[in-house]
Amino acid sequence: MVKPRWQIADLLDLHWFFRADEALRDRGDEETAARRDRVLYLTKIEPELAGATEVPPRVLARRWLTVRRLQHSREQGEAETVLPGAVWRELFALGTVLALVFGLLSGVGLVAPFLLYAGTRPINVSGFIGVFVLAQMGLLVLQLLLFSYRWLRGRRLEQSVLYGLAGRLLMRAINGLRTLAFRRLSGCQRLDFAALLGGLRQHRETAPLLVWPAFLLVQLAGVGFNLGVLGATLSRVVFADVAFGWQSTLQLSAETVAGLVRWMALPWSWALPDGVAYPGLAQVEGSQMILKEGIRHLATGDLVSWWPFLCLCVFFYGLLPRLLLFAAGLVQQRRALDRLSFAGRETARLVRRMLTPRVDTVGRREPGEVAPSAWPLPAASEEMASVSVAPAPQAGGAEAVVLVPDEIYDDCPLEELRALVSRRTGLGRLRPHRFGVPGDPDAEGLATLAEVVDGPGLSAILLLQEAWQPPLQETAALLERLRRAAGETAPMFILLIGRPTGDTIFTPVVPEQLTVWRKKMEAVGDSGLEVLPLVQP
């Protein structure tokens, strides 16, 4: 199976559709998305998978996105809402043109004053090299240092005392600013703000992708700048009579300057003759300017010998590195996109909706009937009847651990719990476990997780909670310990139940309580954590 190639525009559209589904979910209309995605999978995606048994989430999400785009275009008709991916493509194309034009005009505008020659004072080579060569080399070195820092940050810098001290000081400053800001907010606003910060942490895998487009635009601006400098310099040389000379207050000898020039010309001197690649010692001596003597004693051949060297310096030390950095940026952006794991809860929720078996009224094809093409989406597949959910089969014998608090464990019918959890999540192999026993509340639960991870494998962690009891700091700390024990990729669910009645403890959740729990858990910043009501109203 060919691995799908994701683009930034695809990710923007994917998250836009996720937000639309999240709005349905907030309105309590999850069944609409569940029916739609299951039918899309059966009629449009599965036939294209050529019988593959294990399909990575990135493949399923990419094919789902293709179908949803076509479906969205068909539903909207002429009044189609522009997707953010299309907006991104146009903005980036416009930014590319603007960066090149801005760099080109900046290069021409900055080099023009240096190329003014009235016949009495040659153009100062020292100033030209300082501004258009050495300054650019300094910026390139700075960028290389930043790249080195990003590489070293992945090393074991946390063992450094200075690194740890700087990190603690930064976190104290951030916490102080957050405390000052929170004093001006209401309780609801603080909850929304904490959920927003948690949401940003959940997307920390994709956040670095936004750095590379900016990096590429900077390099394009640099390419345009150097093209402007080269174009203006060559135009001035071709269409005007200009002279170049050098001078310095440091009293440098001609031999020293000739040596520096020869050293700077190393990248191209092997391919060009000495008179063209760089000025020789005689030409350097013949173009030295002395204020009190003027330029009458300077030979024309020496004064014009500098321009090939200056243009080659701009090309090799300005334009070429920018082109190489631009190519490196494209490669790194592609690698960052290819490294995306698609292990977030939104993708997991989508895959679960597509793969969970359902009973519906979509007609089957008669024997010998040709399967319809997956695109465009036919109208018949959009007519979905009422469905019922059945548990999804668990692959590979992996188990899901259901942690039930000690205070409600005895009142919890385990068989009914298994049926409700399977119906709600699609998980088939469940292991309920009493959790929070007084005296040692965590050890037994964590030991159970370790036993499942080392044995049949862990498919998910499910934590049963009473929604009418607000989430506490201890809940967030517990989730962190569970995450460390289960690993970074294991899905985690908080299954909420309402106030118990005389007949059962499995009652629907009040919508306001569900909203509070979701915002509080959003603030945790775990992309694999999802809050679900165990019982639908």
Side-chain angles (χ1 to χ4, degrees):
M1 182 184 299
V2 179
K3 187 178 181 180
R5 306 306 295 267
W6 284 85
Q7 304 292 337
I8 292 179
D10 299 327
L11 294 175
L12 293 175
D13 285 349
L14 181 68
H15 287 288
W16 188 86
F17 284 118
F18 281 163
R19 295 284 76 77
D21 291 343
E22 188 74 21
L24 288 175
R25 185 166 170 264
D26 292 340
R27 293 196 299 266
D29 191 14
E30 295 183 69
E31 283 300 308
T32 298
R35 289 195 300 266
R36 178 203 66 208
D37 292 339
R38 181 59 179 169
V39 172
L40 289 181
Y41 174 76
L42 291 176
T43 60
K44 303 300 171 189
I45 299 176
E46 188 179 35
E48 300 290 323
L49 298 179
T53 55
E54 295 187 5
V55 184
R58 67 181 300 122
V59 176
L60 290 174
R62 187 66 179 84
R63 294 181 181 273
W64 178 84
L65 176 63
T66 302
V67 179
R68 286 291 287 129
R69 280 171 169 166
L70 293 172
Q71 189 182 44
H72 173 77
S73 177
R74 182 174 180 178
E75 291 172 351
Q76 296 290 321
E78 295 182 358
E80 180 180 357
T81 302
V82 180
L83 294 176
V87 176
W88 168 264
R89 291 189 186 95
E90 292 189 10
L91 288 179
F92 189 74
L94 178 62
T96 298
V97 175
L98 291 178
L100 282 172
V101 173
F102 174 78
L104 188 67
L105 295 178
S106 299
V108 173
L110 190 58
V111 78
F114 280 87
L115 300 177
L116 293 178
Y117 174 60
T120 58
R121 185 179 181 85
I123 298 170
N124 191 348
V125 172
S126 305
F128 188 98
I129 293 177
V131 173
F132 300 106
V133 178
L134 296 182
Q136 290 202 80
M137 291 176 64
L139 292 176
L140 292 173
V141 170
L142 179 61
Q143 289 186 347
L144 291 176
L145 290 176
L146 292 176
F147 272 109
S148 300
Y149 166 73
R150 287 176 57 86
W151 177 78
L152 290 173
R153 194 173 59 178
R155 316 299 290 178
R156 302 188 63 82
L157 283 182
E158 65 274 8
Q159 297 180 353
S160 169
V161 176
L162 293 178
Y163 182 85
L165 178 61
R168 286 192 294 271
L169 291 176
L170 179 61
M171 289 305 300
R172 286 184 180 180
I174 293 175
N175 290 333
L177 293 175
R178 185 176 61 180
T179 301
L180 292 176
F182 274 19
R183 290 176 182 174
R184 303 175 181 270
L185 302 177
S186 65
C188 184
Q189 289 173 330
R190 286 195 295 269
L191 184 60
D192 292 338
F193 186 73
L196 174 62
L197 293 179
L200 293 176
R201 289 197 297 272
Q202 291 175 21
H203 294 93
R204 57 182 175 268
E205 183 185 34
T206 57
L209 288 173
L210 300 179
V211 174
W212 292 113
F215 176 83
L216 294 175
L217 291 179
V218 170
Q219 305 315 315
L220 286 174
V223 169
F225 177 84
N226 286 281
L227 289 176
V229 172
L230 283 174
T233 303
L234 291 174
S235 298
R236 185 68 174 167
V237 169
V238 173
F239 299 108
D241 183 17
V242 293
F244 297 88
W246 67 275
Q247 61 182 158
S248 175
T249 309
L250 299 178
Q251 300 298 320
L252 297 176
S253 65
E255 290 79 4
T256 301
V257 174
L260 292 174
V261 168
R262 186 167 54 253
W263 178 81
M264 292 182 65
L266 285 177
W268 63 85
S269 60
W270 57 272
L272 298 173
D274 292 347
V276 177
Y278 59 89
L281 177 59
Q283 295 168 320
V284 171
E285 291 177 339
S287 59
Q288 182 177 7
M289 296 182 296
I290 302 176
L291 290 179
K292 64 179 182 180
E293 297 181 2
I295 64 171
R296 291 183 178 275
H297 66 288
L298 303 179
T300 301
D302 298 333
L303 294 175
V304 300
S305 63
W306 283 93
W307 73 265
F309 170 76
L310 296 178
C311 290
L312 289 170
C313 280
V314 173
F315 177 82
F316 278 92
Y317 294 115
L319 179 60
L320 185 59
R322 293 294 179 183
L323 292 174
L324 294 176
L325 285 175
F326 181 78
L330 290 176
V331 172
Q332 290 299 322
Q333 180 176 267
R334 170 47 49 198
R335 288 181 177 177
L337 287 166
D338 290 342
R339 285 196 299 265
L340 292 177
S341 63
F342 290 87
R345 68 179 181 197
E346 294 165 326
T347 306
R349 190 183 300 154
L350 169 64
V351 172
R352 188 167 63 251
R353 291 199 302 262
M354 289 194 291
L355 299 184
T356 300
R358 309 176 66 89
V359 179
D360 54 39
T361 59
V362 176
R364 296 180 177 273
R365 296 190 300 271
E366 296 294 333
E369 183 180 354
V370 179
S373 173
W375 296 280
L377 187 65
S381 65
E382 297 175 6
E383 299 173 0
M384 306 174 189
S386 60
V387 296
S388 61
V389 182
Q394 291 296 110
E399 293 183 343
V401 176
V402 184
L403 300 176
V404 183
D406 177 67
E407 59 270 18
I408 63 174
Y409 187 86
D410 294 330
D411 299 325
C412 180
L414 296 185
E415 291 305 320
E416 184 178 358
L417 174 64
R418 285 192 176 95
L420 288 172
V421 172
S422 296
R423 188 179 303 119
R424 192 70 182 89
T425 64
L427 298 170
R429 296 174 58 86
L430 304 173
R431 181 188 291 196
H433 182 79
R434 185 191 296 265
F435 192 74
V437 178
D440 196 4
D442 292 348
E444 291 190 12
L446 296 178
T448 301
L449 289 181
E451 178 183 344
V452 173
V453 171
D454 296 337
L458 182 68
S459 61
I461 303 174
L462 303 103
L463 181 62
L464 189 66
Q465 292 287 294
E466 295 177 288
W468 56 275
Q469 294 185 356
L472 304 175
Q473 288 295 113
E474 288 78 4
T475 307
L478 169 61
L479 293 172
E480 291 181 3
R481 292 193 292 272
L482 293 176
R483 173 57 69 197
R484 288 196 297 268
E488 292 294 330
T489 60
M492 293 201 307
F493 297 90
I494 294 180
L495 302 177
L496 297 178
I497 57 177
R499 285 184 178 274
T501 64
D503 299 329
T504 180
I505 67 170
F506 301 127
T507 59
V509 179
V510 176
E512 291 77 8
Q513 296 171 352
L514 176 61
T515 299
V516 171
W517 268 89
R518 281 178 170 168
K519 289 185 177 181
K520 277 287 189 181
M521 295 303 100
E522 188 85 11
V524 173
D526 190 329
S527 61
L529 176 64
E530 184 172 358
V531 179
L532 297 174
L534 181 59
V535 179
Q536 293 283 28

